[in-house]
Amino acid sequence: MIDEKLMYIDHVPFPTDDGSYNIAKYATTFYSDNFYGDDSEIGTVIYLESYEKYRIKVHFKDFHYAFYASDESTLQKKYFNLGELADKYKIDHQGDKWIIFEIENSEFVNSIHKGNMDFYKTLEKTLRHFVIFTEENIVELISGTAPSISVHEQKIQD
């Protein structure tokens, strides 16, 4: 068994005055041929929204090697295990950083390496396991680089 380690990702604090965040949308565009229009979002973009006020953009600009999204109802054991990892590494479940983190020594990354017979290791690719954890969803993504994260205030509809 691998000794996984849960870590914060360095980013601006998420505002917490408008409740928790949930997945609003995610999309991946791999190729830049102007067929899809704006090339500024090449890669994988995940939007999180608070109840009314805030939108968080999580942008993985590089290719992702694995992507898994699921509703919390199918992953109760995963939620429990993430909670135990958070407790082990004294990570605040309820704070403004609890939404996005990285797992070092990840079993998921190890399974990717086994599945491709260590091909990415021969290319000297470092695969990193990122998890977005909300009340209602878990998204796991394997990428070579950390995402850029930005917070935006939404226009409230009248």
Side-chain angles (χ1 to χ4, degrees), residues 143-156:
S143 180
T145 59
S148 64
I149 300 169
S150 55
V151 178
H152 308 271
E153 196 159 339
Q154 299 184 64
K155 293 180 182 177
I156 297 177

Side-chain angles (χ1 to χ4, degrees), residues 109-158:
V109 169
N110 190 44
S111 70
I112 297 294
H113 283 304
K114 283 182 182 178
N116 65 41
M117 299 169 48
D118 291 332
F119 176 70
Y120 293 125
K121 286 182 180 179
T122 63
L123 296 177
E124 298 182 3
K125 292 272 185 193
T126 300
L127 302 184
R128 297 170 65 184
H129 181 185
F130 298 95
V131 179
I132 298 173
F133 174 85
T134 71
E135 287 181 351
E136 296 182 7
N137 305 97
I138 293 177
V139 174
E140 297 186 72
L141 191 137
I142 305 291
S143 180
T145 59
S148 64
I149 300 169
S150 55
V151 178
H152 308 271
E153 196 159 339
Q154 299 184 64
K155 293 180 182 177
I156 297 177
Q157 304 286 331
D158 289 336

Side-chain angles (χ1 to χ4, degrees), residues 33-100:
D33 65 1
N34 289 326
F35 179 77
Y36 297 103
D38 183 12
D39 284 345
S40 66
E41 291 191 348
I42 294 295
T44 300
V45 179
I46 301 163
Y47 288 101
L48 308 169
E49 288 183 340
S50 65
Y51 291 114
E52 294 178 2
K53 232 173 165 177
Y54 302 104
R55 175 175 273 193
I56 296 172
K57 179 181 177 182
V58 182
H59 186 187
F60 291 89
K61 295 178 183 175
D62 292 340
F63 178 79
H64 74 250
Y65 297 90
F67 182 90
Y68 181 79
S70 183
D71 180 76
E72 56 82 24
S73 65
T74 63
L75 294 173
Q76 292 302 310
K77 180 71 171 167
K78 180 65 128 177
Y79 271 80
F80 178 78
N81 291 342
L82 289 171
E84 283 188 331
L85 264 181
D87 291 344
K88 180 178 178 180
Y89 292 100
K90 297 181 179 20
I91 289 180
D92 179 10
H93 294 73
Q94 308 304 317
D96 59 4
K97 295 183 178 181
W98 174 240
I99 295 171
I100 303 169

